[in-house]
Amino acid sequence: MTEFNASKRMYSRARCSVPAGVSTNTRARQPHPLYFEQASGAWAIDLDGNRHLDIIMGNGAILLGHSCAEVTDAVQRQLSLGLTCGLESAQMCDAAEGLLRAAQWPDLVRFTNTGTEAVQHALHIARHATGRTRIAKVEGSYHGWSDEVFVSVWIDPARSGTPANIVPQPQFAGQRLDLVSETIVLPFNNLELTAATLDRHGDQIAAVLLEPTLIDVGYIPASRAYLEHLREITGKHGIVLIYDELLTGLNTSVGGIGRETGIAPDLALFGKALANGFPLAAVAGREELMRLTEPGCGPAFVGTFNGHAISIAAAAATLPILASGLVQREMNKRGRRLRTSFESEARRLGVKAKLVTGGSHFHWYFCDNEIVDFRSAVNTDAAAYARFTGTLSASGVLTLPNPLSHHAISLAHDEQVLSEMENAFSDALKAVAKAA
Ligand SMILES: Cc1ncc(COP(=O)(O)O)c(C=O)c1O
Protein backbone atom coordinates (compact mmCIF):
# COMPACT_ATOMS: atom_id res chain seq x y z
CA MET A 1 0.00 0.00 0.00
CA THR A 2 1.55 3.29 -1.12
CA GLU A 3 1.87 5.89 1.63
CA PHE A 4 1.34 9.59 1.02
CA ASN A 5 1.83 10.76 4.62
CA ALA A 6 4.46 13.38 3.86
CA SER A 7 2.31 14.91 1.09
CA LYS A 8 -0.67 14.85 3.42
CA ARG A 9 1.30 16.67 6.13
CA MET A 10 2.60 19.16 3.58
CA TYR A 11 -0.96 19.83 2.44
CA SER A 12 -1.99 20.66 6.02
CA ARG A 13 0.94 23.03 6.24
CA ALA A 14 0.48 24.54 2.75
CA ARG A 15 -3.22 25.26 3.31
CA CYS A 16 -2.28 27.57 6.19
CA SER A 17 -0.44 29.86 3.79
CA VAL A 18 -1.77 29.03 0.29
CA PRO A 19 -5.46 28.50 -0.65
CA ALA A 20 -5.98 24.83 -1.59
CA GLY A 21 -2.26 24.36 -0.93
CA VAL A 22 -1.44 24.77 -4.64
CA SER A 23 -0.30 27.58 -6.93
CA THR A 24 -2.66 26.59 -9.75
CA ASN A 25 -5.97 24.85 -9.16
CA THR A 26 -5.08 22.31 -11.84
CA ARG A 27 -2.65 20.81 -9.27
CA ALA A 28 -5.38 20.28 -6.68
CA ARG A 29 -6.40 16.64 -6.33
CA GLN A 30 -8.38 14.44 -3.94
CA PRO A 31 -7.91 13.71 -1.10
CA HIS A 32 -4.97 16.14 -1.16
CA PRO A 33 -2.37 17.39 -3.64
CA LEU A 34 0.96 15.59 -4.03
CA TYR A 35 4.17 17.51 -3.39
CA PHE A 36 7.24 16.61 -5.34
CA GLU A 37 10.85 16.36 -4.28
CA GLN A 38 12.41 15.82 -7.67
CA ALA A 39 11.50 15.21 -11.32
CA SER A 40 13.85 13.59 -13.77
CA GLY A 41 13.30 12.14 -17.24
CA ALA A 42 9.77 10.69 -17.29
CA TRP A 43 9.51 10.38 -13.52
CA ALA A 44 8.48 12.52 -10.56
CA ILE A 45 9.34 11.55 -6.99
CA ASP A 46 7.05 12.82 -4.25
CA LEU A 47 7.92 13.74 -0.65
CA ASP A 48 7.19 10.16 0.49
CA GLY A 49 9.71 8.84 -2.01
CA ASN A 50 7.03 7.36 -4.31
CA ARG A 51 7.97 7.28 -8.00
CA HIS A 52 5.26 8.48 -10.40
CA LEU A 53 5.36 7.93 -14.14
CA ASP A 54 4.61 11.45 -15.33
CA ILE A 55 2.23 11.82 -18.26
CA ILE A 56 1.24 15.36 -17.34
CA MET A 57 4.72 16.66 -18.19
CA GLY A 58 4.06 20.27 -17.23
CA ASN A 59 0.85 20.26 -19.31
CA GLY A 60 2.80 19.32 -22.40
CA ALA A 61 5.63 21.81 -21.80
CA ILE A 62 8.42 19.37 -21.00
CA LEU A 63 8.88 17.75 -24.39
CA LEU A 64 12.55 16.84 -23.87
CA GLY A 65 11.92 15.28 -20.46
CA HIS A 66 12.48 16.62 -16.94
CA SER A 67 15.96 18.01 -16.27
CA CYS A 68 17.12 17.65 -19.88
CA ALA A 69 20.91 18.08 -19.63
CA GLU A 70 21.32 20.48 -22.59
CA VAL A 71 18.67 22.80 -21.15
CA THR A 72 19.78 22.69 -17.52
CA ASP A 73 23.42 23.27 -18.57
CA ALA A 74 22.39 26.36 -20.54
CA VAL A 75 20.35 27.63 -17.61
CA GLN A 76 23.17 27.05 -15.15
CA ARG A 77 25.56 28.92 -17.42
CA GLN A 78 23.12 31.82 -17.58
CA LEU A 79 22.63 31.78 -13.80
CA SER A 80 26.32 32.43 -13.40
CA LEU A 81 26.14 35.29 -15.93
CA GLY A 82 23.19 37.13 -14.45
CA LEU A 83 19.44 37.56 -14.63
CA THR A 84 17.33 40.37 -16.00
CA CYS A 85 19.24 43.66 -15.87
CA GLY A 86 17.36 46.12 -18.06
CA LEU A 87 19.33 45.15 -21.17
CA GLU A 88 18.71 42.56 -23.88
CA SER A 89 21.10 39.77 -24.81
CA ALA A 90 22.38 38.06 -27.93
CA GLN A 91 20.59 34.93 -26.78
CA MET A 92 17.27 36.72 -27.19
CA CYS A 93 18.13 37.00 -30.90
CA ASP A 94 19.15 33.32 -30.98
CA ALA A 95 15.78 32.32 -29.52
CA ALA A 96 13.81 34.69 -31.78
CA GLU A 97 15.61 33.54 -34.91
CA GLY A 98 15.24 29.90 -33.87
CA LEU A 99 11.49 30.26 -33.40
CA LEU A 100 11.01 32.19 -36.66
CA ARG A 101 13.05 29.57 -38.55
CA ALA A 102 10.90 26.83 -37.03
CA ALA A 103 7.55 28.49 -37.82
CA GLN A 104 8.73 29.84 -41.21
CA TRP A 105 5.73 32.04 -42.05
CA PRO A 106 6.00 34.83 -39.38
CA ASP A 107 8.29 37.81 -39.88
CA LEU A 108 8.76 38.93 -36.29
CA VAL A 109 8.32 37.63 -32.77
CA ARG A 110 8.19 39.04 -29.23
CA PHE A 111 8.55 37.17 -25.96
CA THR A 112 6.34 37.15 -22.87
CA ASN A 113 6.31 34.93 -19.78
CA THR A 114 2.98 33.16 -20.12
CA GLY A 115 0.56 32.17 -22.82
CA THR A 116 -2.16 34.26 -21.19
CA GLU A 117 -0.05 37.40 -21.64
CA ALA A 118 0.86 36.50 -25.22
CA VAL A 119 -2.86 36.14 -26.05
CA GLN A 120 -3.57 39.57 -24.52
CA HIS A 121 -0.87 41.19 -26.63
CA ALA A 122 -2.17 39.52 -29.80
CA LEU A 123 -5.69 40.78 -29.12
CA HIS A 124 -4.44 44.32 -28.51
CA ILE A 125 -2.58 44.22 -31.82
CA ALA A 126 -5.69 42.94 -33.62
CA ARG A 127 -7.93 45.63 -32.09
CA HIS A 128 -5.51 48.40 -32.90
CA ALA A 129 -5.00 47.16 -36.47
CA THR A 130 -8.70 46.78 -37.24
CA GLY A 131 -10.24 49.52 -35.11
CA ARG A 132 -12.76 46.90 -33.91
CA THR A 133 -13.34 45.51 -30.43
CA ARG A 134 -15.05 42.10 -30.53
CA ILE A 135 -13.20 38.80 -30.43
CA ALA A 136 -14.47 35.51 -31.87
CA LYS A 137 -13.18 32.27 -30.38
CA VAL A 138 -13.95 28.60 -30.79
CA GLU A 139 -16.08 26.65 -28.31
CA GLY A 140 -13.79 24.50 -26.14
CA SER A 141 -10.63 26.37 -27.18
CA TYR A 142 -8.50 27.48 -24.18
CA HIS A 143 -6.33 30.58 -24.31
CA GLY A 144 -5.50 31.29 -20.68
CA TRP A 145 -7.56 32.83 -17.97
CA SER A 146 -8.20 36.44 -18.95
CA ASP A 147 -11.79 37.70 -18.87
CA GLU A 148 -12.62 37.85 -22.55
CA VAL A 149 -11.12 34.53 -23.69
CA PHE A 150 -11.73 32.22 -20.73
CA VAL A 151 -15.19 31.90 -22.22
CA SER A 152 -17.11 28.72 -23.21
CA VAL A 153 -14.15 26.41 -22.68
CA TRP A 154 -15.36 23.57 -20.43
CA ILE A 155 -19.06 24.48 -20.13
CA ASP A 156 -22.04 22.13 -20.21
CA PRO A 157 -23.41 22.58 -23.76
CA ALA A 158 -26.94 22.38 -22.35
CA ARG A 159 -26.31 25.91 -20.99
CA SER A 160 -24.82 27.26 -24.20
CA GLY A 161 -27.52 27.35 -26.89
CA THR A 162 -27.18 25.62 -30.23
CA PRO A 163 -24.11 25.35 -32.49
CA ALA A 164 -25.76 27.91 -34.77
CA ASN A 165 -26.09 30.34 -31.90
CA ILE A 166 -23.66 29.56 -29.09
CA VAL A 167 -24.32 31.68 -26.02
CA PRO A 168 -20.95 32.73 -24.54
CA GLN A 169 -20.51 31.44 -21.01
CA PRO A 170 -18.17 32.70 -18.27
CA GLN A 171 -15.76 30.19 -16.74
CA PHE A 172 -15.23 31.66 -13.30
CA ALA A 173 -16.76 33.88 -10.67
CA GLY A 174 -15.48 37.43 -10.74
CA GLN A 175 -15.14 37.44 -14.51
CA ARG A 176 -16.29 40.61 -16.35
CA LEU A 177 -19.60 39.54 -17.84
CA ASP A 178 -19.72 42.50 -20.21
CA LEU A 179 -16.54 41.16 -21.86
CA VAL A 180 -17.88 37.62 -21.89
CA SER A 181 -21.07 38.66 -23.66
CA GLU A 182 -19.07 40.64 -26.24
CA THR A 183 -17.15 37.47 -27.18
CA ILE A 184 -18.50 35.53 -30.14
CA VAL A 185 -18.24 31.74 -29.83
CA LEU A 186 -17.83 29.63 -32.98
CA PRO A 187 -18.37 25.86 -33.45
CA PHE A 188 -15.07 24.11 -34.25
CA ASN A 189 -14.78 22.32 -37.61
CA ASN A 190 -18.17 23.61 -38.76
CA LEU A 191 -17.67 25.56 -41.98
CA GLU A 192 -21.24 26.62 -42.65
CA LEU A 193 -22.13 27.88 -39.17
CA THR A 194 -18.78 29.60 -38.74
CA ALA A 195 -19.16 31.36 -42.08
CA ALA A 196 -22.72 32.42 -41.24
CA THR A 197 -21.65 33.92 -37.88
CA LEU A 198 -18.64 35.71 -39.33
CA ASP A 199 -20.73 37.07 -42.21
CA ARG A 200 -23.24 38.38 -39.68
CA HIS A 201 -20.75 40.07 -37.32
CA GLY A 202 -17.65 40.41 -39.53
CA ASP A 203 -17.46 44.21 -39.42
CA GLN A 204 -17.33 44.19 -35.58
CA ILE A 205 -14.73 41.45 -35.14
CA ALA A 206 -11.06 42.28 -34.59
CA ALA A 207 -9.78 38.69 -34.34
CA VAL A 208 -10.71 35.05 -34.66
CA LEU A 209 -8.71 33.07 -32.11
CA LEU A 210 -8.46 29.28 -32.01
CA GLU A 211 -6.29 26.31 -31.17
CA PRO A 212 -5.85 24.84 -34.67
CA THR A 213 -5.88 21.44 -33.02
CA LEU A 214 -8.21 21.55 -30.02
CA ILE A 215 -5.96 20.00 -27.38
CA ASP A 216 -7.39 21.58 -24.28
CA VAL A 217 -10.42 19.31 -24.66
CA GLY A 218 -8.38 16.23 -25.55
CA TYR A 219 -7.08 16.07 -29.10
CA ILE A 220 -9.23 17.20 -32.04
CA PRO A 221 -7.54 18.27 -35.27
CA ALA A 222 -9.17 20.88 -37.49
CA SER A 223 -10.08 19.69 -40.96
CA ARG A 224 -8.04 21.25 -43.73
CA ALA A 225 -11.23 22.58 -45.33
CA TYR A 226 -12.17 24.31 -42.06
CA LEU A 227 -8.80 26.08 -41.76
CA GLU A 228 -8.86 27.06 -45.45
CA HIS A 229 -12.35 28.43 -45.04
CA LEU A 230 -11.42 30.36 -41.90
CA ARG A 231 -8.42 31.84 -43.67
CA GLU A 232 -10.56 32.91 -46.60
CA ILE A 233 -13.45 34.34 -44.64
CA THR A 234 -11.31 36.22 -42.09
CA GLY A 235 -9.40 37.71 -45.03
CA LYS A 236 -12.67 38.73 -46.71
CA HIS A 237 -13.84 40.57 -43.56
CA GLY A 238 -10.46 42.07 -42.64
CA ILE A 239 -10.34 40.03 -39.40
CA VAL A 240 -6.98 39.11 -37.86
CA LEU A 241 -6.67 35.32 -37.74
CA ILE A 242 -4.77 34.10 -34.66
CA TYR A 243 -3.65 30.51 -34.07
CA ASP A 244 -2.90 29.62 -30.48
CA GLU A 245 -0.04 27.19 -31.08
CA LEU A 246 1.08 26.87 -27.46
CA LEU A 247 0.48 23.14 -27.57
CA THR A 248 0.96 22.51 -31.30
CA GLY A 249 3.81 24.89 -32.16
CA LEU A 250 6.63 22.52 -31.29
CA ASN A 251 5.04 19.37 -29.84
CA THR A 252 3.20 18.07 -32.89
CA SER A 253 5.46 19.38 -35.68
CA VAL A 254 8.28 21.85 -36.15
CA GLY A 255 6.70 25.29 -36.23
CA GLY A 256 3.09 24.27 -35.73
CA ILE A 257 -0.05 23.99 -37.81
CA GLY A 258 0.57 27.27 -39.63
CA ARG A 259 3.72 25.84 -41.17
CA GLU A 260 2.54 22.26 -41.45
CA THR A 261 -0.62 23.07 -43.43
CA GLY A 262 0.67 26.10 -45.29
CA ILE A 263 -2.52 27.85 -44.10
CA ALA A 264 -0.78 30.56 -42.14
CA PRO A 265 -2.61 32.90 -39.75
CA ASP A 266 -1.76 36.58 -39.26
CA LEU A 267 -0.54 36.12 -35.69
CA ALA A 268 0.29 33.04 -33.63
CA LEU A 269 1.17 32.28 -30.04
CA PHE A 270 3.89 29.89 -28.97
CA GLY A 271 5.10 28.69 -25.57
CA LYS A 272 5.23 25.54 -23.44
CA ALA A 273 7.82 23.32 -25.17
CA LEU A 274 9.57 26.47 -26.42
CA ALA A 275 11.71 26.55 -23.27
CA ASN A 276 11.13 22.95 -22.13
CA GLY A 277 9.24 23.92 -18.97
CA PHE A 278 10.75 27.33 -18.22
CA PRO A 279 8.18 30.14 -18.34
CA LEU A 280 8.30 31.63 -21.82
CA ALA A 281 5.72 32.38 -24.47
CA ALA A 282 5.76 34.37 -27.69
CA VAL A 283 3.59 36.32 -30.11
CA ALA A 284 4.73 35.93 -33.70
CA GLY A 285 3.26 37.31 -36.87
CA ARG A 286 3.29 39.37 -39.98
CA GLU A 287 5.54 42.40 -39.98
CA GLU A 288 2.82 45.03 -40.46
CA LEU A 289 1.04 43.76 -37.34
CA MET A 290 4.08 43.04 -35.17
CA ARG A 291 5.66 46.46 -35.82
CA LEU A 292 2.58 47.99 -34.18
CA THR A 293 4.04 46.90 -30.83
CA GLU A 294 7.09 49.14 -31.24
CA PRO A 295 7.28 52.14 -28.87
CA GLY A 296 4.89 54.92 -29.82
CA CYS A 297 3.00 52.84 -32.42
CA GLY A 298 0.01 51.71 -30.39
CA PRO A 299 -0.39 48.68 -28.15
CA ALA A 300 1.81 48.48 -25.07
CA PHE A 301 4.42 45.76 -24.96
CA VAL A 302 5.92 45.74 -21.51
CA GLY A 303 6.66 43.32 -18.70
CA THR A 304 9.39 43.14 -16.05
CA PHE A 305 10.15 39.52 -16.79
CA ASN A 306 9.45 39.49 -20.55
CA GLY A 307 12.14 37.48 -22.30
CA HIS A 308 13.79 36.69 -18.97
CA ALA A 309 17.42 35.66 -19.40
CA ILE A 310 16.88 32.24 -17.80
CA SER A 311 13.90 31.27 -19.94
CA ILE A 312 15.59 32.68 -23.04
CA ALA A 313 18.68 30.56 -22.30
CA ALA A 314 16.41 27.53 -22.00
CA ALA A 315 14.71 28.34 -25.31
CA ALA A 316 18.01 28.97 -27.07
CA ALA A 317 19.11 25.48 -25.94
CA THR A 318 15.76 23.80 -26.70
CA LEU A 319 15.00 25.15 -30.17
CA PRO A 320 18.04 23.66 -31.95
CA ILE A 321 17.12 20.22 -30.57
CA LEU A 322 13.57 20.55 -31.92
CA ALA A 323 14.49 22.15 -35.26
CA SER A 324 15.12 19.06 -37.38
CA GLY A 325 11.76 17.42 -36.65
CA LEU A 326 13.39 14.23 -35.38
CA VAL A 327 11.91 14.65 -31.91
CA GLN A 328 8.40 15.27 -33.27
CA ARG A 329 8.64 12.29 -35.65
CA GLU A 330 9.75 10.10 -32.76
CA MET A 331 6.84 11.38 -30.65
CA ASN A 332 4.41 10.55 -33.47
CA LYS A 333 5.84 7.03 -33.65
CA ARG A 334 5.55 6.50 -29.91
CA GLY A 335 2.03 7.93 -29.89
CA ARG A 336 0.97 5.53 -32.69
CA ARG A 337 2.38 2.63 -30.70
CA LEU A 338 0.39 3.64 -27.61
CA ARG A 339 -2.75 4.03 -29.71
CA THR A 340 -2.40 0.62 -31.36
CA SER A 341 -1.86 -1.26 -28.12
CA PHE A 342 -4.55 0.67 -26.21
CA GLU A 343 -7.19 0.26 -28.89
CA SER A 344 -6.53 -3.44 -29.48
CA GLU A 345 -6.74 -4.08 -25.73
CA ALA A 346 -9.95 -2.02 -25.50
CA ARG A 347 -11.47 -4.04 -28.38
CA ARG A 348 -10.43 -7.31 -26.76
CA LEU A 349 -12.10 -6.27 -23.51
CA GLY A 350 -15.19 -4.83 -25.18
CA VAL A 351 -14.55 -1.30 -23.88
CA LYS A 352 -15.65 1.52 -26.17
CA ALA A 353 -12.61 3.76 -26.13
CA LYS A 354 -10.07 5.38 -28.42
CA LEU A 355 -6.69 6.97 -27.92
CA VAL A 356 -6.18 10.06 -30.07
CA THR A 357 -2.65 11.37 -30.46
CA GLY A 358 -0.43 13.80 -32.32
CA GLY A 359 3.22 14.49 -31.50
CA SER A 360 3.73 14.16 -27.77
CA HIS A 361 0.04 14.77 -26.92
CA PHE A 362 -2.54 12.07 -26.42
CA HIS A 363 -6.00 11.66 -25.00
CA TRP A 364 -8.39 8.81 -24.23
CA TYR A 365 -12.02 9.23 -25.22
CA PHE A 366 -14.39 6.65 -23.77
CA CYS A 367 -17.02 6.53 -26.51
CA ASP A 368 -17.56 5.14 -29.98
CA ASN A 369 -18.74 8.32 -31.66
CA GLU A 370 -16.52 10.46 -33.84
CA ILE A 371 -14.96 13.41 -32.01
CA VAL A 372 -14.94 16.53 -34.18
CA ASP A 373 -15.67 19.39 -31.80
CA PHE A 374 -16.22 20.32 -28.16
CA ARG A 375 -19.77 18.97 -28.03
CA SER A 376 -18.81 15.54 -29.32
CA ALA A 377 -15.85 15.46 -26.89
CA VAL A 378 -18.11 16.20 -23.94
CA ASN A 379 -20.43 13.38 -24.90
CA THR A 380 -18.17 10.61 -23.59
CA ASP A 381 -18.34 8.23 -20.65
CA ALA A 382 -17.03 10.28 -17.68
CA ALA A 383 -17.45 7.38 -15.23
CA ALA A 384 -15.29 5.07 -17.38
CA TYR A 385 -12.69 7.83 -17.71
CA ALA A 386 -12.65 8.36 -13.93
CA ARG A 387 -12.22 4.63 -13.29
CA PHE A 388 -9.48 4.39 -15.91
CA THR A 389 -7.43 7.37 -14.68
CA GLY A 390 -8.13 6.46 -11.03
CA THR A 391 -6.65 3.00 -11.64
CA LEU A 392 -3.66 4.55 -13.41
CA SER A 393 -3.06 6.96 -10.53
CA ALA A 394 -3.25 4.14 -8.00
CA SER A 395 -0.61 2.27 -9.98
CA GLY A 396 1.75 5.26 -9.93
CA VAL A 397 0.92 6.98 -13.22
CA LEU A 398 0.35 10.71 -12.77
CA THR A 399 -2.90 11.65 -14.49
CA LEU A 400 -5.39 14.52 -14.50
CA PRO A 401 -8.90 13.67 -13.34
CA ASN A 402 -10.85 15.94 -15.74
CA PRO A 403 -12.08 13.83 -18.72
CA LEU A 404 -11.11 16.69 -21.07
CA SER A 405 -7.54 17.17 -19.78
CA HIS A 406 -4.92 16.13 -22.28
CA HIS A 407 -1.80 14.14 -21.38
CA ALA A 408 1.64 14.00 -22.93
CA ILE A 409 4.78 11.94 -23.24
CA SER A 410 8.30 13.26 -23.81
CA LEU A 411 11.59 12.20 -25.32
CA ALA A 412 12.36 10.60 -21.95
CA HIS A 413 9.41 8.21 -22.35
CA ASP A 414 11.63 5.56 -23.86
CA GLU A 415 11.02 1.92 -24.75
CA GLN A 416 10.93 0.79 -21.14
CA VAL A 417 8.65 3.62 -20.00
CA LEU A 418 6.29 3.02 -22.94
CA SER A 419 6.05 -0.67 -22.01
CA GLU A 420 5.21 0.31 -18.44
CA MET A 421 2.55 2.66 -19.77
CA GLU A 422 1.08 -0.06 -21.98
CA ASN A 423 0.86 -2.44 -19.04
CA ALA A 424 -0.72 0.22 -16.84
CA PHE A 425 -3.22 1.16 -19.58
CA SER A 426 -4.13 -2.51 -19.98
CA ASP A 427 -4.75 -2.96 -16.24
CA ALA A 428 -6.81 0.22 -16.13
CA LEU A 429 -8.90 -0.93 -19.11
CA LYS A 430 -9.54 -4.22 -17.29
CA ALA A 431 -10.85 -2.21 -14.31
CA VAL A 432 -13.20 -0.33 -16.66
CA ALA A 433 -14.38 -3.58 -18.28
CA LYS A 434 -14.96 -5.18 -14.88
CA ALA A 435 -17.11 -2.26 -13.70
CA ALA A 436 -19.25 -2.22 -16.87
C1 LIG B 1 -3.52 26.48 -25.96
C2 LIG B 1 -3.19 27.29 -24.74
N1 LIG B 1 -3.20 28.62 -24.82
C3 LIG B 1 -2.91 29.39 -23.76
C4 LIG B 1 -2.59 28.83 -22.55
C5 LIG B 1 -2.28 29.71 -21.38
O1 LIG B 1 -0.93 29.69 -21.13
P1 LIG B 1 -0.36 30.04 -19.67
O2 LIG B 1 -0.87 28.98 -18.74
O3 LIG B 1 1.12 30.02 -19.88
O4 LIG B 1 -0.87 31.38 -19.32
C6 LIG B 1 -2.54 27.44 -22.42
C7 LIG B 1 -2.18 26.82 -21.13
O5 LIG B 1 -2.44 25.71 -20.81
C8 LIG B 1 -2.86 26.65 -23.55
O6 LIG B 1 -2.86 25.30 -23.47
Side-chain angles (χ1 to χ4, degrees):
M1 182 77 179
T2 314
E3 301 279 349
F4 296 105
N5 294 329
S7 274
K8 192 172 169 191
R9 279 196 302 278
M10 187 55 70
Y11 175 54
S12 304
R13 177 178 155 201
R15 271 209 80 194
C16 297
S17 48
V18 177
V22 288
S23 299
T24 162
N25 283 350
T26 54
R27 288 187 207 132
R29 57 176 67 225
Q30 293 303 328
H32 55 78
L34 296 175
Y35 295 85
F36 89 110
E37 181 82 50
Q38 195 197 335
S40 170
W43 299 91
I45 298 174
D46 68 24
L47 294 186
D48 292 277
N50 302 311
R51 271 177 105 225
H52 302 264
L53 201 170
D54 189 359
I55 56 170
I56 299 175
M57 297 307 288
N59 297 334
I62 306 179
L63 178 55
L64 301 177
H66 292 290
S67 312
C68 165
E70 286 91 332
V71 181
T72 47
D73 287 354
V75 164
Q76 262 151 13
R77 206 165 39 247
Q78 187 59 44
L79 275 173
S80 68
L81 294 174
L83 305 178
T84 179
C85 66
L87 306 174
E88 288 292 349
S89 68
Q91 279 189 321
M92 189 271 286
C93 284
D94 293 341
E97 289 162 6
L99 181 54
L100 292 175
R101 252 194 318 276
Q104 291 196 351
W105 63 267
D107 303 308
L108 296 168
V109 58
R110 291 196 110 183
F111 293 109
T112 65
N113 303 286
T114 66
T116 300
E117 292 164 56
V119 169
Q120 285 307 293
H121 286 302
L123 297 183
H124 293 160
I125 297 169
R127 287 207 177 95
H128 181 62
T130 60
R132 303 169 185 166
T133 52
R134 298 186 79 180
I135 303 300
K137 73 168 292 283
V138 157
E139 190 175 34
S141 199
Y142 177 64
H143 308 288
W145 40 272
S146 67
D147 288 50
E148 65 196 317
V149 293
F150 201 5
V151 175
S152 300
V153 182
W154 301 292
I155 293 289
D156 178 0
R159 285 166 44 206
S160 305
T162 63
N165 188 14
I166 300 173
V167 182
Q169 297 292 335
Q171 283 291 151
F172 60 96
Q175 198 167 358
R176 274 189 58 177
L177 298 180
D178 55 331
L179 293 181
V180 173
S181 60
E182 275 285 287
T183 303
I184 293 167
V185 183
L186 304 169
F188 191 61
N189 266 337
N190 188 320
L191 275 57
E192 289 73 26
L193 295 181
T194 297
T197 307
L198 294 183
D199 281 340
R200 205 158 54 242
H201 301 289
D203 60 351
Q204 303 166 11
I205 300 175
V208 167
L209 170 65
L210 76 154
E211 291 180 72
T213 295
L214 265 188
I215 295 183
D216 277 298
V217 290
Y219 191 89
I220 314 174
S223 73
R224 185 170 181 87
Y226 174 72
L227 289 183
E228 278 172 351
H229 210 69
L230 260 188
R231 182 60 288 182
E232 192 189 313
I233 198 160
T234 49
K236 180 174 98 180
H237 290 294
I239 298 168
V240 176
L241 179 61
I242 309 174
Y243 288 174
D244 183 338
E245 301 243 31
L246 258 90
L247 290 169
T248 46
L250 293 156
N251 296 62
T252 59
S253 62
V254 183
I257 308 281
R259 171 178 169 181
E260 194 183 323
T261 58
I263 308 166
D266 302 304
L267 294 172
L269 315 161
F270 296 87
K272 306 261 188 187
L274 176 59
N276 203 50
F278 285 85
L280 189 69
V283 191
R286 301 191 190 284
E287 174 152 19
E288 65 274 22
L289 292 172
M290 293 300 295
R291 291 271 180 228
L292 296 176
T293 66
E294 291 190 344
C297 293
F301 205 99
V302 289
T304 303
F305 294 124
N306 275 7
H308 192 281
I310 295 299
S311 297
I312 286 287
T318 301
L319 283 163
I321 304 175
L322 299 179
S324 73
L326 263 176
V327 172
Q328 293 86 348
R329 281 197 291 281
E330 182 58 30
M331 292 299 102
N332 279 327
K333 201 169 103 198
R334 294 181 195 181
R336 280 195 300 273
R337 166 180 165 172
L338 289 174
R339 183 178 67 217
T340 304
S341 61
F342 174 87
E343 292 189 350
S344 76
E345 186 67 346
R347 261 193 312 277
R348 191 180 71 76
L349 294 165
V351 176
K352 289 179 188 149
K354 59 186 99 189
L355 188 149
V356 196
T357 177
S360 60
H361 299 293
F362 68 93
H363 188 72
W364 312 278
Y365 288 113
F366 285 83
C367 64
D368 57 2
N369 56 300
E370 206 195 341
I371 307 289
V372 291
D373 58 9
F374 170 70
R375 292 183 185 218
S376 46
V378 165
N379 196 17
T380 57
D381 186 342
Y385 187 92
R387 185 165 296 275
F388 181 78
T389 50
T391 311
L392 286 181
S393 293
S395 71
V397 181
L398 268 188
T399 57
L400 292 164
N402 174 348
L404 293 178
S405 294
H406 57 101
H407 290 84
I409 54 171
S410 76
L411 203 55
H413 290 66
D414 58 13
E415 173 61 36
Q416 194 195 329
V417 177
L418 290 180
S419 297
E420 290 195 37
M421 285 173 71
E422 286 173 328
N423 291 338
F425 289 2
S426 165
D427 289 344
L429 276 172
K430 285 180 191 131
V432 174
K434 201 165 153 204

